Amino acid sequence: MDLKLKIWRQAGPDASGKFVEYPIQDISPESSFLEMLDILNEQLVAKGEDPVAFDHDCREGICGTCSLFINGRPHGPDTAITTCQLHMRRFKDGDTIVIEPWRAKPFPVIKDLMVDRIAFDEIIQAGGYVSINTGPMPDANVLPIPKKNADLAMDAASCIGCGACVATCKNASAMLFVSAKVSQFALLPQGKAEAKERVRKMVAKMDELGFGNCTNTYACEVECPKEISVTNIARMNREFFMAKIS
Amino acid sequence: MAKLDSKIPEGAIAEKWTNYKAHQNLVNPANKRKIDVIVIGTGLAGGAAAASLGELGFNVKVFCIQDSPRRAHSIAAQGGINAAKNYPNDGDSIYRLFYDTVKGGDYRAREANVYRLAEVSNNIIDQCVAQGVPFAREYGGLLDNRSFGGALVSRTFYARGQTGQQLLLGAYSALSKEINKGSVELYTRREMQDIVIIDGKARGVIVRNLVTGKLERHGAHAVLLATGGYGNVFFLSTNAMTSNGSAAWRVYKKGAFFGNPSFVQIHPTCIPVHGDFQSKLTLMSESLRNDGRIWVPGNKEDAEKIQKGELKPTEITEENRDYYLERRYPAFGNLVPRDVASRAAKERCDAGFGVGNTGLAVYLDFADAINRLGKNVIEARYGNLFQMYEKIVDENPYETPMMIYPAIHYTMGGIWVDYELQTTIPGLFAGGEANFSDHGANRLGASALMQGLSDGYFVLPYTMQNYLADQINVPHFSTDTPEFEKAENGIQEMIDKLLSIQGDETVDSIHKRLGLIMWNYVGMARNIEGLEKAITQIQELRKEFWTRVKVPGSNDGMNVELEKALRLVDYLELGELMARDALVRNESCGGHFREEYKTDEGEALRDDKAFTFVSAWEYTGEDKEPKLNKEPLVFENIEVKQRNYKSA
Amino acid sequence: MSSTFYSSLTKKYVMSLAGLFLLSFLLVHLSINLLLLLDESRGLFNEAAHFMGTNPFIQTFQWVLFGGFAVHMLVGVILQIQNWMARPKRYNKKAVSEESYLSKFMIHTGIIIAVFLVIHLGDFFVLKITGQVPEFAGHHGTEDMGLLVIEKFKMGGYVLFYVIVLIFLGFHLDHAFQSAFQSLGLNNPKYMPFLKGLGRILAIVIGLGYILIPLVIYFK
């Protein structure tokens, strides 16, 4: 396949960036999207040019490191996968592919397509945990948890923190991310003790960091590589309301 | 050899850990604040240890190479975590878990460590449940267990196919709690470059800030490495792209011994290599072998036609298929341990019976299972795996058999540690996959998560305290010392040199060549000629690297090529040590298979008399041969036997 | 404490509650308007308008209604500004994945409705409270608001403008109704499809209901 890549290049956090076009030839439809970028980078390095910086790590769709806004969609034109699982057979010979970094105020660009998502960690640090220390705990089976709740909690907990929800949201809202963590603990008895504190603190931190507000476009649910449901957002709205009135 | 003291506590095996804890030194709460600890890596071992040490009151600095501690490669573990809870009431016990782990490791692990691992396994499950880890449950609301290879009981706890993710997020949440409290300070996008030793003790590290390119100095009373395995020396592996062996290698060169470097686990069920542009291999869960049947064509002409695309697997009749695992191992069939299954696949492909366009793949066929159980049952069991396969390969595994091939997955070898998980450098500890581990020569499924969390939550917080107890009067470290200066300069020189070569080969192209040497000669099947060839070829490649590598850009800011080059420097040395270790070990055990040492039927043949020891390699200087130290392994609680998978 | 009031979620509750309240007003208003079609003499309509204009409870409540509008608009604008600020650098290729497509244009449809509201108030409300509406021949002491309306709806340009605005109102409501429940945390997979359907029906009924009146009057 021969393709034309239009890639956002930005030397550093404070530099002003621009789109640069790169033609690329002979790409196997069997290669992954990131392998296609690897090939581009090998060619750039061979020519003595600066390779394109992009985040990636496990390359099997679970670490949440890879990002990329490809032709208007985070993680590209396929559903329920991350960019590293996207394969070139999803494109046609001669296609132009526009590749941009995640765009959101709390996700500043570090270089080229790489952004800083430490804001997500800060939200978790604000309360995304059960405040217990390591030590002898009651036996794991002392606390039966209805399978349905355990499964719903697992659905929410499968979030990989990639930021696709923020990237696709027209408001750059982090509600799906935050609500997934709030939901996981709201659904489990272990999380009950500090449920109110947790949702209050996490929402306050989310607002403070400058994420946008949720306008229920549900784009996040469409683009989430782990297909996390917006019912989690409703659950967080409920939790927050209950925390505020009591 | 005084230096190699495993410090196994006295007493009966079941009491060693209890005795150790009862008599160890502790640091009083007020003094803990005076003590700084550095943790490198935020996977299961590092994340759990950093959080637990922070909870105890130490000042912890934790570093990760990724942009967030939640992304460490522990996250990719699929299957589950073992524990001796005996919830299914099927006869499990701490002893049985201990026994299975030692046996699975082909009797090359330290008994006392493995027993402790089995002992704390139950605490891990309790801890994780209390954290809110959403393990799979039964309808009654209690925890579900499933069975895994190498065991006669169901003892594996799991969270869908994402157990590693959920356990890591548990440790990450504990770590986040401590960061919020201020007891742990987090440094992301940092890669450890060197250890700083002052008066014989580990007192700090040099890290490279991957965003700015700056070298940073950090001092502490003790350092813990939890930097994972070095499987990426093979270029292609199931490891993440940033998983690397540099931290382990740099401390080796500063005096820490390297244990069993040649013990590498090759996982039999990975998606095969499809082209030379490939960057990474994807694992398909071992659980697939419960229902899938592995086969290749029975005659070569069919295999060749398949390779050329002239024939489809579904067109090959039953009598022309060779279910080679069922043929060779009637008792265990498709469920033989990982090392056995991997070697058998390689044997068939080398003989010309492989499939796929490269001829380096075998079929994993679900047609029988679908006929027997129905598509719905198979979909419920493996739906997400089938979907993942289809996304990657673009073939529907419900209709045509999957293609699989073995791939590098885990390194049992690593930094040598004693019972306290302390290396031969005082004050330097190693946990998780980074240490030479409790898995001996082969790791059983669902044991890696257990070991990482055991080290992190329940072992290191005790043993490090034992070391730190006499450090309370040592003030916080200034990094303005000649030792830090020297370490930093050493790294700076290496960086400058790499940037100055400006040759004609990219880092990856050299790494791919190294990977090929490793895979061909230090991979699944090894022999004396191959290993010797590997050593010479690696030495030549290393010379070529230092004259021909091209690293563009500078060190002022992000430079991914430079990062990769710095890691390759170490792989080019580590690969040689792996070959040396494999060469010395004149036996076959677990993942280490020497073609000269096999039974008449082609199975691995151990030499317990000569090789019941841990190889602990000692660095002796640039271009000098490393020295082999041996830690003898004593089995007092387990009878050492030959593994047999042909009959039950 | 400040975070309680300024929290993004609190603002969303306020938006939702105010919105649902305004929706009830639209229904009342629509039912009164429809009286114009039921009774060509305008008697019923004028009587209802008179009742609304004189009943002390309604008169007081009208300020709550104004408050509702004000809050809905103010908070809506604040939220929107924050949303724009959350992405200072736009995408070259815009995101395309909205499930609720109209949600993208809430501020736009909202502003159009607000502009209309000002004109609308000028056309009727201001005339009424300043006593410029002629007396209704059919009933002493009642203003002929109906005549005012019919005169407007005889003007083609006004009808066109009115119809367009009401289509936008329909769009606004289609997203708004189910969105309000989601924001209030009342999303449940079981009844959410019903709420989405109900929202669409309401949007169509309200939109078409209002549109019907000028069209009937104009073409008669």
Side-chain angles (χ1 to χ4, degrees):
Chain A
M1 294 166 81
D2 294 348
L3 301 156
K4 198 165 87 185
L5 306 174
K6 203 175 151 192
I7 299 177
W8 180 261
R9 300 303 306 263
Q10 182 174 334
D14 305 317
S16 64
K18 63 174 194 301
F19 281 98
V20 179
E21 283 187 19
Y22 299 96
I24 187 161
Q25 282 87 31
D26 288 332
I27 293 297
S28 160
E30 301 307 311
S31 74
S32 77
F33 194 84
L34 295 185
E35 283 162 359
M36 183 272 294
L37 288 179
D38 289 341
I39 294 170
L40 172 72
N41 278 345
E42 282 285 286
Q43 293 173 0
L44 292 177
V45 172
K47 282 191 277 179
E49 289 177 36
D50 191 23
V52 179
F54 59 93
D55 266 319
H56 61 98
D57 200 19
C58 79
R59 296 209 178 187
E60 52 185 275
I62 193 72
C63 73
T65 312
C66 64
S67 52
L68 304 187
F69 203 73
I70 302 161
N71 284 345
R73 296 190 62 183
H75 298 305
D78 206 341
T79 51
I81 54 160
T82 55
T83 296
C84 64
Q85 295 171 298
L86 176 66
H87 279 69
M88 293 312 292
R89 65 179 85 90
R90 296 285 310 193
F91 298 90
K92 292 193 302 290
D93 189 43
D95 273 358
T96 298
I97 307 177
V98 182
I99 311 171
E100 300 175 70
W102 281 179
R103 296 275 187 212
K105 184 166 155 260
F107 290 170
V109 172
I110 292 172
K111 186 180 178 184
D112 299 336
L113 302 170
M114 212 176 239
V115 299
D116 186 359
R117 284 167 290 190
I118 203 80
F120 269 9
D121 295 300
E122 290 177 25
I123 293 173
I124 299 294
Q125 285 157 22
Y129 39 77
V130 177
S131 296
I132 53 147
N133 285 353
T134 307
M137 292 291 156
D139 185 85
N141 259 351
V142 159
L143 198 64
I145 298 173
K147 182 171 164 51
K148 192 182 156 219
N149 283 6
D151 285 347
L152 283 173
M154 180 61 215
D155 288 342
S158 63
C159 169
I160 56 174
C162 65
C165 47
V166 174
T168 194
C169 176
K170 74 178 184 66
N171 311 322
S173 164
M175 288 284 276
L176 193 65
F177 170 78
V178 181
S179 68
K181 193 46 76 181
V182 168
S183 279
Q184 179 196 341
F185 290 125
L187 285 157
L188 297 173
Q190 297 94 316
K192 289 279 187 272
E194 49 188 337
K196 289 175 184 172
E197 274 297 283
R198 177 181 303 114
V199 68
R200 254 182 245 158
K201 286 181 176 166
M202 289 180 77
V203 168
K205 180 53 88 175
M206 168 183 86
D207 289 347
E208 179 199 317
L209 289 165
F211 287 101
N213 305 291
C214 178
T215 51
N216 306 325
T217 73
Y218 310 135
C220 50
E221 182 182 73
V222 175
E223 294 296 4
C224 175
K226 298 294 155 192
E227 301 181 295
I228 291 172
S229 162
V230 293
T231 51
N232 290 304
I233 296 182
R235 188 177 292 108
M236 178 165 83
N237 288 336
R238 210 151 61 223
E239 289 282 314
F240 186 78
F241 187 71
M242 296 313 286
K244 283 299 181 189
I245 60 167
S246 59
Chain B
M1 186 63 236
K3 241 177 150 183
L4 207 61
D5 178 5
S6 56
K7 292 197 224 155
I8 298 169
E10 294 297 316
I13 192 142
E15 278 137 38
K16 284 181 195 289
W17 182 230
T18 315
N19 285 344
Y20 176 89
K21 288 191 289 185
H23 298 104
Q24 72 162 112
N25 298 315
L26 296 172
V27 182
N28 96 34
N31 284 331
K32 286 187 183 120
R33 277 195 296 275
K34 297 184 194 162
I35 290 180
D36 305 323
V37 179
I38 283 174
V39 179
I40 310 285
T42 58
L44 290 180
S52 303
L53 290 164
E55 287 163 3
L56 288 171
F58 294 105
N59 298 313
V60 182
K61 281 184 177 182
V62 65
F63 297 81
C64 67
I65 194 168
Q66 296 88 356
D67 67 329
S68 162
R70 67 179 293 152
R71 308 207 197 279
H73 196 54
S74 306
I75 204 158
Q78 297 171 354
I81 177 165
N82 287 332
K85 282 284 193 187
N86 193 29
Y87 286 155
N89 197 27
D90 55 0
D92 200 6
S93 64
I94 289 171
Y95 182 82
R96 195 174 282 275
L97 174 54
F98 156 69
Y99 175 84
D100 287 347
T101 308
V102 171
K103 179 189 170 199
D106 223 353
Y107 308 96
R108 291 295 174 263
R110 194 188 286 149
E111 264 194 350
N113 284 51
V114 180
Y115 196 89
R116 176 178 62 189
L117 177 68
E119 215 178 328
V120 302
S121 66
N122 292 342
N123 299 59
I124 296 172
I125 302 303
D126 299 341
Q127 181 71 29
C128 293
V129 165
Q131 283 171 343
V133 169
F135 281 120
R137 283 173 187 271
E138 294 168 343
Y139 282 100
L142 300 184
L143 292 161
D144 192 20
N145 284 126
R146 64 180 171 201
S147 53
F148 242 73
L152 296 167
V153 294
S154 290
R155 62 160 74 102
T156 305
F157 294 78
Y158 64 101
R160 299 219 178 116
Q162 291 145 269
T163 318
Q165 180 200 25
Q166 292 310 313
L167 296 175
L168 181 68
L169 293 181
Y172 164 73
S173 72
L175 186 64
S176 297
K177 162 177 67 73
E178 292 306 304
I179 293 168
N180 187 50
K181 234 170 69 186
S183 58
V184 176
E185 212 176 327
L186 171 67
Y187 296 85
T188 61
R189 295 194 194 260
R190 303 293 204 289
E191 183 165 8
M192 177 174 147
Q193 297 297 326
D194 212 349
I195 183 93
V196 179
I197 297 169
I198 301 177
D199 297 332
K201 292 190 168 86
R203 292 303 195 194
V205 291
I206 305 292
V207 298
R208 185 168 175 271
N209 182 326
L210 301 182
V211 175
T212 63
K214 286 205 173 63
L215 294 176
E216 299 169 351
R217 304 172 182 187
H218 296 273
H221 293 80
V223 177
L224 166 62
L225 291 196
T227 49
Y230 48 89
N232 273 341
V233 67
F234 289 84
F235 188 75
L236 285 179
S237 81
T238 64
N239 285 7
M241 306 306 283
T242 53
S243 298
N244 69 76
S246 286
W249 193 251
R250 305 268 166 94
V251 301
Y252 162 73
K253 290 175 84 170
K254 284 287 175 84
F257 290 3
F258 209 111
N260 297 334
S262 68
F263 287 177
V264 174
Q265 178 160 83
I266 292 160
H267 200 294
T269 52
C270 298
I271 297 177
V273 177
H274 53 69
D276 52 9
F277 47 80
Q278 192 156 357
S279 59
K280 151 88 195 194
L281 296 171
T282 305
L283 179 75
M284 301 300 289
S285 171
E286 185 172 347
S287 61
L288 290 169
R289 285 198 280 146
N290 279 308
D291 286 308
R293 293 180 72 195
I294 293 173
W295 64 276
V296 290
N299 47 61
K300 253 189 206 172
E301 301 81 67
D302 285 349
E304 279 157 12
K305 277 187 191 157
I306 282 180
Q307 289 164 20
K308 287 183 200 136
E310 291 164 5
L311 200 62
K312 285 188 191 134
T314 43
E315 290 165 357
I316 296 183
T317 54
E318 202 58 32
E319 61 273 17
N320 285 324
R321 298 175 177 196
D322 176 15
Y323 295 92
Y324 58 88
L325 286 177
E326 297 170 24
R327 171 170 57 81
R328 283 178 66 178
Y329 309 101
F332 280 69
N334 294 298
L335 283 170
V336 290
R338 291 175 176 178
D339 51 344
V340 178
S342 295
R343 274 196 294 279
K346 178 178 157 56
E347 189 274 329
R348 281 293 83 189
C349 293
D350 288 350
F353 293 90
V355 297
N357 54 3
T358 56
L360 290 175
V362 299
Y363 289 125
L364 177 60
D365 201 334
F366 290 86
D368 279 0
I370 290 172
N371 284 339
R372 192 177 68 241
L373 304 163
K375 194 182 162 192
N376 290 350
V377 175
I378 294 302
E379 195 172 350
R381 285 186 192 166
Y382 311 113
N384 53 350
L385 292 170
F386 278 32
Q387 190 194 358
M388 178 164 95
Y389 181 85
E390 198 176 349
K391 292 265 186 202
I392 294 174
V393 183
D394 204 24
E395 281 182 355
N396 183 348
Y398 294 103
E399 285 160 12
T400 185
M402 271 185 185
M403 283 190 287
I404 53 162
Y405 199 66
I408 301 293
H409 180 55
Y410 185 91
T411 51
M412 282 77 68
I415 307 164
W416 184 90
V417 288
D418 59 21
Y419 187 76
E420 297 188 298
L421 306 184
Q422 187 163 210
T423 69
T424 45
I425 300 175
L428 178 67
F429 294 78
E433 194 182 346
N435 69 29
F436 86 96
S437 98
D438 305 340
H439 306 295
N442 176 54
R443 182 176 63 74
L444 288 181
S447 280
L449 301 183
M450 173 170 67
Q451 186 224 339
L453 288 182
S454 154
D455 289 359
Y457 284 132
F458 296 108
V459 178
L460 287 161
Y462 285 93
T463 60
M464 288 183 82
Q465 213 175 152
N466 187 46
Y467 168 80
L468 291 165
D470 66 356
Q471 304 283 310
I472 49 174
N473 293 320
V474 180
H476 295 291
F477 284 91
S478 156
T479 55
D480 213 7
T481 66
E483 291 88 350
F484 275 96
E485 184 83 32
K486 191 171 164 232
E488 188 185 320
N489 288 345
I491 300 300
Q492 189 61 51
E493 274 163 31
M494 179 153 52
I495 289 171
D496 294 342
K497 192 169 168 198
L498 285 169
L499 288 168
S500 70
I501 298 167
Q502 291 304 325
D504 56 357
E505 279 221 63
T506 63
V507 177
D508 276 357
S509 68
I510 299 175
H511 195 167
K512 279 180 190 174
R513 286 166 62 194
L514 171 66
L516 219 56
I517 299 171
M518 295 302 294
W519 181 247
N520 288 337
Y521 305 121
V522 200
M524 269 187 282
R526 303 151 172 188
N527 59 54
I528 184 162
E529 294 82 33
L531 289 166
E532 281 168 352
K533 207 186 274 180
I535 293 171
T536 352
Q537 288 189 3
I538 294 169
Q539 285 168 346
E540 281 161 15
L541 190 63
R542 196 157 64 221
K543 278 194 202 113
E544 207 176 315
F545 171 85
W546 282 109
T547 47
R548 287 183 57 191
V549 75
K550 183 183 185 103
V551 182
S554 70
N555 191 33
D556 317 316
M558 175 155 281
N559 188 338
V560 179
E561 289 298 308
L562 177 61
E563 290 168 27
K564 290 195 288 191
L566 282 163
R567 291 168 205 153
L568 185 54
V569 166
D570 299 320
Y571 286 138
L572 284 164
E573 297 173 10
L574 170 58
E576 187 186 326
L577 186 71
M578 290 168 70
R580 280 183 189 282
D581 186 46
L583 193 58
V584 168
R585 196 168 276 277
N586 289 320
E587 65 160 350
S588 294
C589 61
H592 168 67
F593 187 76
R594 283 279 301 271
E595 286 168 338
E596 304 93 317
Y597 307 100
K598 55 187 177 189
T599 63
D600 296 338
E601 288 145 322
E603 302 305 325
L605 186 65
R606 282 198 326 261
D607 181 350
D608 290 327
K609 250 200 186 100
F611 291 98
T612 309
F613 64 80
V614 176
S615 312
W617 292 88
E618 183 178 355
Y619 183 72
T620 51
E622 201 79 18
D623 293 324
K624 281 191 196 143
E625 290 210 357
K627 185 181 163 210
L628 174 64
N629 300 286
K630 297 174 184 177
E631 180 205 341
L633 293 169
V634 184
F635 293 94
E636 292 168 332
N637 299 279
I638 284 181
E639 187 199 346
V640 179
K641 287 191 242 173
Q642 197 69 35
R643 295 191 303 172
N644 176 6
Y645 299 101
K646 288 181 189 295
S647 54
Chain C
M1 203 49 203
S2 66
S3 73
T4 304
F5 291 116
Y6 299 118
S7 156
S8 57
L9 267 59
T10 311
K11 279 184 259 174
K12 292 299 293 181
Y13 299 140
V14 173
M15 272 310 270
S16 312
L17 292 171
L20 289 174
F21 168 62
L22 295 179
L23 182 70
S24 68
F25 159 74
L26 281 175
L27 284 170
V28 173
H29 194 328
L30 174 63
S31 53
I32 294 174
N33 283 13
L34 285 171
L35 294 176
L36 268 180
L37 298 187
L38 279 180
D39 174 16
E40 285 190 25
S41 71
R42 309 192 295 278
L44 279 177
F45 179 83
N46 283 342
E47 229 169 279
H50 182 71
F51 171 79
M52 299 298 280
T54 51
N55 181 291
F57 175 74
I58 303 278
Q59 283 301 294
T60 319
F61 199 70
Q62 132 184 320
W63 294 105
V64 178
L65 179 66
F66 289 150
F69 268 111
V71 165
H72 192 74
M73 287 192 278
L74 180 71
V75 177
V77 168
I78 293 173
L79 284 168
Q80 185 60 54
I81 290 171
Q82 286 179 330
N83 291 345
W84 280 325
M85 279 166 50
R87 179 165 292 133
K89 176 86 193 160
R90 318 251 99 194
Y91 285 114
N92 177 277
K93 277 244 180 182
K94 283 241 159 56
V96 289
S97 313
E98 283 77 16
E99 180 76 339
S100 178
Y101 184 71
L102 296 168
S103 63
K104 249 184 174 172
F105 303 106
M106 291 305 272
I107 188 69
H108 310 94
T109 50
I111 288 171
I112 291 167
I113 295 161
V115 169
F116 170 77
L117 198 64
V118 173
I119 298 172
H120 192 66
L121 286 173
D123 285 346
F124 301 101
F125 185 74
V126 175
L127 291 183
K128 182 175 185 307
I129 57 170
T130 51
Q132 293 178 52
V133 184
E135 185 169 286
F136 177 42
H139 192 288
H140 180 68
T142 306
E143 294 137 321
D144 198 351
M145 288 298 286
L147 183 66
L148 221 58
V149 175
I150 287 168
E151 277 171 1
K152 288 280 182 204
F153 285 170
K154 287 285 182 199
M155 294 152 65
Y158 190 90
V159 171
L160 186 66
F161 168 66
Y162 188 91
V163 168
I164 290 171
V165 170
L166 266 296
I167 289 172
F168 284 129
L169 176 69
F171 288 163
H172 196 80
L173 295 179
D174 178 63
H175 171 71
F177 188 71
Q178 52 86 22
S179 175
F181 286 90
Q182 166 80 0
S183 290
L184 292 169
L186 302 173
N187 178 343
N188 180 301
K190 271 189 202 139
Y191 56 70
M192 204 58 189
F194 167 74
L195 283 178
K196 283 188 181 169
L198 183 63
R200 180 142 299 169
I201 290 167
L202 275 173
I204 292 171
V205 166
I206 292 176
L208 284 185
Y210 277 107
I211 288 171
L212 190 66
I213 298 159
L215 290 183
V216 168
I217 292 170
Y218 183 76
F219 288 110
K220 206 144 89 181

